[in-house]
Amino acid sequence: MTTAYFAQSVISFGVALGSVALGVVFLPIDPWVRAFLAVAVLYTVTSAFGLAKCVRDRQEVVSVSSRVDQARLDKLLSEHDPYKVENL
């Protein structure tokens, strides 16, 4: 995630949202239809943000779980001595 990539993503999102907003504003339709389309666009945008957050959170949980498992395995391997003889 570079700064340029982040900036490109933000600019792309802004252009896309602005284009749809301008399209809705200048459509030759009744105001109530225009308002319905505007609410639909806002709902789509907010649900996309919510979905992106859920995907990010799920990836984070998997990553944390994987790191915990790896730490446990590293600890077991570091404590294991293959040359140690058990007293019976």
Side-chain angles (χ1 to χ4, degrees):
M1 175 69 99
T2 63
T3 305
Y5 179 74
F6 180 75
Q8 180 183 359
S9 297
V10 170
I11 291 168
S12 175
F13 175 76
V15 168
L17 188 60
S19 298
V20 170
L22 284 173
V24 168
V25 167
F26 291 112
L27 272 175
I29 53 177
D30 292 334
W32 71 270
V33 176
R34 186 176 293 125
F36 175 79
L37 289 175
V39 169
V41 168
L42 288 176
Y43 179 64
T44 302
V45 169
T46 57
S47 63
F49 277 115
L51 177 61
K53 183 182 179 305
C54 288
V55 169
R56 182 201 63 202
D57 291 347
R58 180 169 296 256
Q59 288 176 341
E60 201 171 88
V61 165
V62 169
S63 173
V64 168
S65 175
S66 174
R67 286 189 298 200
V68 168
D69 291 342
Q70 184 64 40
R72 286 181 185 153
L73 179 62
D74 290 344
K75 182 177 184 240
L76 284 173
L77 288 174
S78 68
E79 293 174 350
H80 177 68
D81 185 5
Y83 300 111
K84 182 178 179 183
V85 177
E86 295 289 329
N87 293 334
L88 297 175

